[in-house]
Amino acid sequence: DLAATPRVLARLEHADDVRTLDFDHTGRHLLTASDDGTARMLDAENGRLQFEIQHQSSVRRALFAPDDKSFVTVSTDRTGQVWSTESGRPLDDLRLRGHNHFLLHAAHSPDGRWLLTTSSDMTLRIWDEKPTTRSLVLAEHRHEVRGAVFAPDGKSVWTTGLDRKVIQFNASTGQLKRELDSGHEDLVYSIAIHPTGNRIATASRDDTARVTDLVSGSSVVMRGHGAAVVNVAFSPDGMRLVTTSRDGTARVWDAGSGQPVAGIQPLAH
């Protein structure tokens, strides 16, 4: 209940900043990714460590697969890896190699068939179920690619990056389908797509988030953060948008009006 006073269930400590968190679909397991070069899987109820995996530098994202049987990590050591959720061991044929610079983001297609990775080498790669056998390279951005998400039907991918562009690609061919100006006044860090596939949300260093209607082209701007907005996510029903910011807060917004949701105060760290 977001309107209730938040209660700390467990304190999860890394030796450096925590980049991302991801729950499995049961809600019982939690993945963390940290600048200390590790990703950890923990018991979500008590914070007990189940296992830890190591990269050579910052782990930018750790993410469960849709079936929860594996998870992927991507790192600024220029590698990605798919791991067994049961054992925490790497799956030998699922090492993601090919990017020429830092890996920044990863996402699965809704059916789990494809995995995408983004990089500061200005490309997006789409990998199939056996990533070492196929990597589709998408190279339309002119700066590092920070955010990417599959459409709900899995047929296209939406990307954004430090060039402030928003691009839609065909997920199976890599063909560019559409390019938009994000409308932001500074770098864009993150993108999310509405459950209907008809709207996208973006987060920017201009201290705002935007929800853009892909049919009409109209946008709603969320203003209120005191620093860069770094992540956005729609609620499962698409009615709300959650943002996190370098001002140390997370906020919940009405995705249609762009106004803060009444009764839910910013969550401060």
Side-chain angles (χ1 to χ4, degrees):
D1 184 355
L2 290 173
T5 302
R7 181 168 61 94
V8 177
L9 296 176
R11 194 170 297 277
L12 315 175
E13 295 187 357
H14 278 271
D16 207 332
D17 291 347
V18 176
R19 286 283 181 172
T20 64
L21 304 172
D22 189 47
F23 285 94
D24 73 355
H25 291 84
T26 70
R28 294 183 297 174
H29 301 107
L30 177 67
L31 281 174
T32 62
S34 172
D35 283 343
D36 65 10
T38 69
R40 296 176 179 177
M41 192 167 83
L42 307 116
D43 185 304
E45 287 294 325
N46 56 34
R48 185 177 296 117
L49 178 67
Q50 298 185 333
F51 54 75
E52 177 181 284
I53 62 94
Q54 184 81 44
H55 276 269
Q56 295 180 7
S57 60
S58 171
V59 181
R60 298 300 292 265
R61 188 163 177 81
L63 181 71
F64 284 106
D67 63 6
D68 292 331
K69 293 180 180 179
S70 64
F71 67 94
V72 63
T73 57
V74 293
S75 170
T76 55
D77 66 9
R78 305 188 184 191
T79 68
Q81 176 68 53
V82 181
W83 312 78
S84 165
T85 299
E86 182 178 358
S87 68
R89 295 182 178 276
L91 301 177
D92 291 339
D93 59 342
L94 298 178
R95 181 174 290 273
L96 312 176
R97 296 184 182 276
H99 283 292
N100 297 320
H101 214 266
F102 301 154
L103 275 69
L104 302 174
H105 184 74
H108 293 95
S109 61
D111 62 4
R113 177 184 175 187
W114 292 325
L115 171 69
L116 65 80
T117 54
T118 74
S119 173
S120 54
D121 67 7
M122 300 186 288
T123 69
L124 164 83
R125 287 178 179 256
I126 298 178
W127 314 79
D128 67 8
E129 293 174 331
K130 295 288 185 182
T132 54
T133 66
R134 172 179 176 246
S135 173
L136 185 65
V137 182
L138 288 63
E140 295 292 335
H141 283 279
R142 297 188 180 90
H143 212 307
E144 61 186 54
V145 186
R146 283 294 184 95
V149 63
F150 282 95
D153 62 7
K155 295 180 179 180
S156 64
V157 172
W158 288 89
T159 67
T160 192
L162 301 192
D163 57 9
R164 294 188 280 176
K165 294 196 295 184
V166 174
I167 299 177
Q168 182 188 24
F169 296 96
N170 181 298
S172 60
T173 67
Q175 181 180 1
L176 188 152
K177 297 181 67 176
R178 190 173 180 183
E179 182 175 324
L180 307 174
D181 186 325
S182 68
H184 286 286
E185 298 176 356
D186 209 329
L187 311 180
V188 182
Y189 290 137
S190 178
I191 188 169
I193 192 161
H194 192 272
T196 63
N198 292 330
R199 288 186 283 172
I200 56 170
T202 49
S204 172
R205 198 171 70 173
D206 67 7
D207 303 352
T208 71
R210 283 177 172 261
V211 174
T212 300
D213 188 303
L214 296 173
V215 178
S216 69
S218 62
S219 293
V220 173
V221 183
M222 285 72 171
R223 304 183 189 275
H225 281 292
V229 182
V230 293
N231 279 298
V232 288
F234 284 103
S235 61
D237 63 5
M239 299 295 290
R240 296 180 177 183
L241 187 77
V242 178
T243 57
T244 62
S245 169
R246 288 180 179 160
D247 66 8
T249 68
R251 295 173 182 254
V252 183
W253 312 82
D254 183 295
S257 69
Q259 297 301 307
V261 174
I264 301 179
Q265 298 301 312
L267 306 176
H269 285 272

